Amino acid sequence: MDRSEIHRLLNACEQTPHLHVAVVMMLSTAGRVTAISEARWDHVDFDQRTLNLRTSENPHSKQRAFVPLNDRIYNLLLDWRSQCDTDWIVEYKGGPVKNIYKSFRQAAERAKLDDTHPHVLRHTAAVHMVASGCDMARVSQYLGHSSVSVTERIYARFAPQHLRREAESVDFLKDK
């Protein structure tokens, strides 16, 4: 998703506060839907401004990350915390949200985003990190990947600038 599509989705989510929080969390942490759904307030360290997505009730889950919170997600979570009644970050009517797919689909339709599902947000976050020049090893760590090769295999094509030196080495017109 490009920035325009992200903003349209975020605007479409605002009428559903718990969905808005979930979508911002997925975009800001590159967390998988399940990791965000399982996140509890004790996973947030407001002093250190971090979120621990590694904890899980499912020991067979995919690797998860321990990520810093940027200023905007930090402030959003701080405000959202004051409105919550449970231990779950993404809550609705006094309990954890088990499934955001229906409300996400409705918001995506309002935003005129076809074939968009929640996992796209993880890829969107990763693509934006890579395309902005973030180091692949650090992106890999942010995503909780088991190795940099996994991240490179999936996302290297979104970072053509990392091949700039190679492109310069075959610039034979400069010698002419």
Side-chain angles (χ1 to χ4, degrees), residues 56-76:
S56 172
E57 284 64 46
N58 180 0
H60 303 292
S61 65
K62 292 186 174 189
Q63 290 289 325
R64 294 184 179 179
F66 184 87
V67 296
L69 300 172
N70 64 46
D71 289 343
R72 287 188 176 85
I73 186 68
Y74 170 82
N75 288 325
L76 177 84

Side-chain angles (χ1 to χ4, degrees), residues 1-71:
M1 296 173 64
D2 64 27
R3 289 191 179 271
S4 170
E5 292 168 325
I6 292 167
H7 290 291
R8 288 195 335 250
L9 179 62
L10 289 172
N11 288 338
C13 289
E14 284 182 348
Q15 68 189 52
T16 313
H18 69 278
L19 177 64
H20 185 258
V21 169
V23 167
V24 172
M25 286 181 68
M26 285 185 275
L27 286 167
S28 299
T29 68
R32 291 179 182 90
V33 178
T34 304
I36 299 304
S37 297
E38 292 177 355
R40 295 187 316 260
W41 287 111
D42 62 345
H43 299 167
V44 179
D45 184 332
F46 283 104
D47 293 331
Q48 296 297 313
R49 293 179 174 224
T50 57
L51 175 63
N52 182 1
L53 295 173
R54 290 180 184 151
T55 58
S56 172
E57 284 64 46
N58 180 0
H60 303 292
S61 65
K62 292 186 174 189
Q63 290 289 325
R64 294 184 179 179
F66 184 87
V67 296
L69 300 172
N70 64 46
D71 289 343

Side-chain angles (χ1 to χ4, degrees), residues 132-148:
S132 71
C134 294
D135 178 72
M136 199 67 72
R138 293 168 69 95
V139 173
S140 181
Q141 186 177 359
Y142 201 91
L143 295 171
H145 284 164
S146 57
S147 73
V148 176

Side-chain angles (χ1 to χ4, degrees), residues 95-152:
V97 174
K98 301 265 191 249
N99 187 325
I100 66 161
Y101 290 93
K102 181 179 177 183
S103 59
F104 184 90
R105 187 179 65 249
Q106 292 169 342
E109 287 172 4
R110 285 192 301 274
K112 298 186 181 359
L113 297 170
D114 298 329
D115 299 324
T116 301
H117 50 86
H119 195 70
V120 167
L121 303 179
R122 177 174 169 81
H123 290 294
T124 297
V127 166
H128 281 266
M129 283 187 269
V130 170
S132 71
C134 294
D135 178 72
M136 199 67 72
R138 293 168 69 95
V139 173
S140 181
Q141 186 177 359
Y142 201 91
L143 295 171
H145 284 164
S146 57
S147 73
V148 176
S149 63
V150 172
T151 311
E152 288 174 340

